[in-house]
Amino acid sequence: MEDLTHANYGLSASQEESDDDFSNPLPRAVLRSTNHVLLDGEWHFALDADDIGLRDKWHLGHRYDYTAQWPGSVEHHLAEAHGLASPAVWHDRVVVWYERTFELPSRAGIDLKKDLLQLTFGACGYETRVWLNGTLLRTVEGEEIHYGEYTSFSYELDESILRPINRLTVRIADTMDADVPRGKQESHVYKRGGIWYQTYTGAVRSVWLEMVERNRLRSRVGVVSIVEDQLVRFNLTMRIHDAGRYVVRLRVFDLHAADDAAPRALSDFPLPLSAGQHEQRLVVEVPGARLWSPDEPVRYRLVAELIDESGYVASIEAHFGLRKIESRGRYVYLNNETIYLDGILYQPGTASYEQMRQHFHAMKALGCNLVRVHIAGVDPRLYNLADELGLLLWVEVPSPHSSTPRSRENHRAELLRMLALIETHPSVVIWSLYNEDWGAQDIATNPETRAYITEMYHFMQLAHPQFLVVDNDGWHHISYTGRLKSDLLTAHLYTPDLNRWRELLDRLIGGELEGTAAFPLVVGDPFFYRRQVPLIVSEWGGFGFPDYGGPQDAEARTASIRAFKQELRRRPIAGDVYTQATNIEDERNGLINFQTGALEVPEGLLHSEPEEPPTAQPAS
């Protein structure tokens, strides 16, 4: 029998998440004590082709003809059930059920007035219902149905429905609905082939049980640092069942400090809290702290404690770094110093966490300081890895494929879910709201579409000032009264011809907003480029992809990349993103072996030095 005895002590430095000596078993970035039970492994599995499971109450009992390994995709589970060699394809709607039993973990010595059992799904979707022993569960947020497939969600398990042997039932449904966030998975609008991929959905991340406190800090921490004042602003979320007076104690340590070391900073915050969920910003001065950067990815360890009136302590731990990102004039500034973004486009596809970890190391070896994670949800441990390696991340909301009021509502909900779990990390510096009009196809003609994107841009500026925000990457940026609603002016430029490449770059820096990218670079009110915003060529290359002029052999591709990169650096451009890191389905343009992480081009190929390094400008 698993033992979930809860020590209820602060977390120790022994849990340091070094890529070399620590393996975090759970797909999350904020750490709790390690008393958990993974429910991964073999589950019963059934396809509900006629969607009758709810009507026939399968959650009360059903004969399952197949088994499936969780985590895994619906597509693989369907293929295995029917003896197919490759993932199964579905074209409209898929409904599947999973079920397993688990033994109630031993909780000897646990005070059930203080602690409760929580069930967490690392990610699952798009539409998920969960029953325990036939009783429908509600998430901590109160949802009977959880929507989304890229972020985690949890259920607090009521003692009244727990049994010595428990039956857990999960119904997952997904559709080709173009109004839901899909990224590059096919839909009714964009069909599989070329740059559009087969669906990969369902039980895609781990599921686990753990003991948590009834009154606790949730596993989400936001960090905003303004490097000039040595103050760190922590955004914390508290889950309270028992109203009362609490103290939040924040302690900041050097990352590898000994267990008995004095904290670099300590501060207490008394808070009267009612039952429910509360978000609170708390500010701590961390004098003498060093800044995080790709060259020196310095991190610190936060131990946050919620202490009730009896002295009972609920703790979480997060690793964070202090950094400042800005766009000013032509340049991007990191910690008040200009930085050129040597980027690469990364699409994780069906990669395992271990494969993604190898890919990140390979992208660092290529000389990249930026990875653009292209409209996909990833294992949250990758953000910690990027923090550690010193890789800047550009993340994006997986896009819907149609532009409607419902698609915008779904887009907003996905953005907020992602923000709640990602804002800890110094590596995450840029967010894209949309890419190439996917889900915003009427951006040039529909004021409502532009108004929504403008509203979300302003929201990000106010609520999350630690990020740069791109409204619609590639073209069709929004201008309102001549003000660009994007912190970067980005363009996707594809050509295999070097002379044409030079011409496109000269058009870009000359402010020619039409005839440069596939569509006009700016829509809405007239916008006149006068180097008042950084230019980023956020997609280029694709060498090896037939649609963009390939294929070429490795030697010719390497020579082209070097030549094209030199032309970028000869011009007042703030960064570029080569497309792409690995081959994905029909896109055969990768520089890294998907399976092994081995480089297929020379190390350092994407690192560049400017012809004339710009002088750093003082902070405004």
Side-chain angles (χ1 to χ4, degrees), residues 240-255:
I240 303 297
H241 283 268
D242 307 305
R245 301 190 65 82
Y246 291 83
V247 171
V248 175
R249 175 168 297 159
L250 302 183
R251 292 182 291 155
V252 175
F253 298 87
D254 290 336
L255 190 61

Side-chain angles (χ1 to χ4, degrees), residues 415-484:
L415 170 63
L416 295 178
R417 283 191 290 265
M418 293 177 70
L419 281 166
L421 298 174
I422 295 177
E423 61 171 352
T424 315
H425 303 282
S427 58
V428 179
V429 293
I430 303 172
W431 281 77
S432 283
L433 300 177
Y434 286 90
N435 175 76
E436 291 187 353
D437 304 355
W438 301 343
Q441 293 91 336
D442 56 359
I443 190 172
T445 59
N446 188 347
E448 291 183 5
T449 300
R450 294 198 298 274
Y452 167 71
I453 298 174
T454 298
E455 175 191 352
M456 298 316 295
Y457 171 71
H458 289 157
F459 162 76
M460 292 290 287
Q461 282 190 314
L462 291 172
H464 301 279
Q466 69 270 43
F467 305 125
L468 300 181
V469 179
V470 177
D471 54 351
N472 176 58
D473 188 50
W475 50 70
H476 281 170
H477 297 282
I478 297 170
S479 172
Y480 179 72
T481 65
R483 296 178 176 90
L484 201 65

Side-chain angles (χ1 to χ4, degrees), residues 207-265:
V207 56
W208 64 92
L209 292 165
E210 63 185 326
M211 290 303 299
V212 298
E213 302 84 359
R214 282 172 50 84
N215 307 299
R216 64 190 181 279
L217 296 160
R218 296 201 67 190
S219 298
R220 50 187 67 176
V221 179
V223 178
V224 180
S225 59
I226 298 177
V227 300
E228 291 84 0
D229 61 14
Q230 298 186 326
L231 296 176
V232 187
R233 295 142 178 88
F234 295 105
N235 301 327
L236 300 174
T237 301
M238 288 149 283
R239 170 68 168 165
I240 303 297
H241 283 268
D242 307 305
R245 301 190 65 82
Y246 291 83
V247 171
V248 175
R249 175 168 297 159
L250 302 183
R251 292 182 291 155
V252 175
F253 298 87
D254 290 336
L255 190 61
H256 300 292
D259 289 349
D260 58 353
R264 179 179 282 269

Side-chain angles (χ1 to χ4, degrees), residues 94-408:
V94 63
V95 181
V96 291
W97 292 68
Y98 297 82
E99 188 169 283
R100 65 157 291 166
T101 59
F102 65 89
E103 187 176 1
L104 185 64
S106 171
R107 294 173 293 168
I110 290 176
D111 183 354
L112 296 181
K113 294 180 180 180
K114 296 289 188 180
D115 298 294
L116 55 82
L117 194 60
Q118 180 170 275
L119 172 70
T120 298
F121 289 75
C124 188
Y126 180 72
E127 175 189 310
T128 306
R129 288 177 170 93
V130 180
W131 293 262
L132 181 64
N133 299 321
T135 298
L136 181 63
L137 301 180
R138 288 179 172 82
T139 66
V140 174
E141 285 73 26
E143 308 161 321
E144 289 188 351
I145 305 172
H146 174 77
Y147 294 100
E149 61 181 289
Y150 304 106
T151 55
S152 64
F153 53 100
S154 298
Y155 302 89
E156 298 172 342
L157 304 184
D158 193 300
E159 286 292 316
S160 66
I161 61 173
L162 289 169
R163 306 286 183 265
I165 302 296
N166 296 273
R167 181 169 52 89
L168 186 62
T169 309
V170 181
R171 177 189 183 271
I172 302 171
D174 205 348
T175 71
M176 295 285 183
D177 185 353
D179 277 351
V180 304
R182 306 199 59 80
K184 290 185 73 172
Q185 299 181 64
E186 68 169 317
S187 70
H188 291 311
V189 171
Y190 299 122
K191 294 301 183 180
R192 189 248 179 271
I195 66 170
W196 300 103
Y197 306 153
Q198 182 180 328
T199 56
Y200 180 78
T201 188
V204 294
R205 286 192 206 140
S206 292
V207 56
W208 64 92
L209 292 165
E210 63 185 326
M211 290 303 299
V212 298
E213 302 84 359
R214 282 172 50 84
N215 307 299
R216 64 190 181 279
L217 296 160
R218 296 201 67 190
S219 298
R220 50 187 67 176
V221 179
V223 178
V224 180
S225 59
I226 298 177
V227 300
E228 291 84 0
D229 61 14
Q230 298 186 326
L231 296 176
V232 187
R233 295 142 178 88
F234 295 105
N235 301 327
L236 300 174
T237 301
M238 288 149 283
R239 170 68 168 165
I240 303 297
H241 283 268
D242 307 305
R245 301 190 65 82
Y246 291 83
V247 171
V248 175
R249 175 168 297 159
L250 302 183
R251 292 182 291 155
V252 175
F253 298 87
D254 290 336
L255 190 61
H256 300 292
D259 289 349
D260 58 353
R264 179 179 282 269
L266 182 153
S267 195
D268 284 359
F269 302 87
L271 291 172
L273 296 172
S274 58
Q277 183 157 293
H278 304 269
E279 296 181 3
Q280 180 68 47
R281 172 168 287 191
L282 302 173
V283 182
V284 177
E285 183 177 7
V286 187
R290 296 162 59 200
L291 302 184
W292 183 97
S293 71
D295 293 332
E296 293 185 89
V298 179
R299 294 177 296 157
Y300 295 93
R301 185 165 62 93
L302 168 71
V303 176
E305 299 171 323
L306 180 69
I307 307 169
D308 69 15
E309 292 176 277
S310 72
Y312 190 83
V313 179
S315 300
I316 59 172
E317 176 180 322
H319 301 161
F320 69 96
L322 308 180
R323 63 108 182 102
K324 178 183 180 183
I325 192 79
E326 290 180 287
S327 64
R328 268 193 275 135
R330 308 172 25 187
Y331 302 117
V332 173
Y333 289 79
L334 180 67
N335 302 331
N336 295 324
E337 297 288 334
T338 56
I339 182 171
Y340 186 87
L341 302 177
D342 284 312
I344 190 167
L345 190 80
Y346 178 58
Q347 305 190 80
T350 60
S352 66
Y353 171 68
E354 177 58 28
Q355 287 172 323
M356 288 188 278
R357 189 187 66 80
Q358 292 171 340
H359 298 163
F360 267 49
H361 280 277
M363 289 184 281
K364 183 78 172 179
L366 277 172
C368 298
N369 60 17
L370 172 78
V371 176
R372 181 177 164 213
V373 182
H374 193 33
I375 55 174
V378 298
D379 189 308
R381 288 172 289 189
L382 283 181
Y383 302 117
N384 279 352
L385 180 59
D387 293 345
E388 179 185 341
L389 293 178
L391 278 170
L392 301 167
L393 295 183
W394 180 336
V395 300
E396 304 173 317
V397 185
S399 58
H401 290 178
S402 62
S403 183
T404 67
R406 180 168 169 264
S407 80
R408 291 189 280 275

Side-chain angles (χ1 to χ4, degrees), residues 5-24:
T5 302
H6 180 45
N8 196 35
Y9 302 129
L11 299 174
S12 70
S14 64
Q15 291 178 314
E16 156 56 20
E17 195 164 329
S18 167
D19 182 51
D20 297 323
D21 61 15
F22 180 82
S23 177
N24 179 10

